[in-house]
Amino acid sequence: MNKDVVLAAGILGTAALMYGFFSMIPQRQGETVRIAVDGDTYGVYSLQEDKEVLIQSERGRNKVIIREGQVSMEFADCPDQYCVKHHAIHARGETIVCLPHRVVVEISSDGETDTEIDGIAQ
Ligand SMILES: [Zn+2]
């Protein structure tokens, strides 16, 4: 009887340890790209999914491309073109900013891809 309890406790302890170990591994799956215009979230998209996002605001147009986990500004009609010249980003915390259009493209890993925001993008 006693031996069974010890064995059960051992299994539970091992399971708890394993769980703790696996939950500490950072999950790349949740990585997303957030696009904000003038400080407001325009859309949040998964890096896993290839996508083209056209951003149309009163300041102008930007076209963001998500391809093979990389995000780049393919086109913008802003005067300085800094955002278009920016290299593609993929790591958490990296950003592409289009200052004239107040567009910020940022890689983040918090939260899931919100398809609802995607659907109502202005
Ligand atoms: Zn720009």
Side-chain angles (χ1 to χ4, degrees):
M1 182 64 182
N2 244 0
K3 246 169 98 183
D4 287 348
V5 170
V6 170
L7 192 66
I11 290 166
L12 277 174
T14 307
L17 265 173
M18 298 265 287
Y19 181 75
F21 177 72
F22 281 115
S23 60
M24 267 160 58
I25 296 171
Q27 292 186 319
R28 292 191 59 83
Q29 223 66 354
E31 285 194 347
T32 55
V33 55
R34 180 186 296 273
I35 299 171
V37 181
D38 214 355
D40 294 322
T41 299
Y42 185 88
V44 180
Y45 311 92
S46 171
L47 276 188
Q48 316 296 117
E49 230 175 280
D50 290 3
K51 198 174 176 67
E52 291 184 11
V53 185
L54 190 66
I55 301 146
Q56 179 88 55
S57 72
E58 64 263 39
R59 292 183 184 84
R61 289 193 299 156
N62 293 67
K63 192 176 179 188
V64 175
I65 301 279
I66 304 165
R67 192 181 291 136
E68 289 166 7
Q70 304 266 334
V71 185
S72 57
M73 187 75 77
E74 189 180 82
F75 165 84
D77 56 8
C78 61
D80 63 20
Q81 295 290 299
Y82 280 139
C83 55
V84 180
K85 288 176 198 152
H86 199 286
H87 62 86
I89 58 172
H90 67 277
R92 194 197 309 181
E94 283 189 302
T95 54
I96 299 176
V97 179
C98 181
L99 224 55
H101 293 173
R102 295 200 184 195
V103 172
V104 178
V105 181
E106 182 181 22
I107 309 291
S108 63
S109 60
D110 44 277
E112 305 278 288
T113 303
D114 197 333
T115 43
E116 261 180 60
I117 288 172
D118 187 6
I120 57 161
Q122 310 115 353

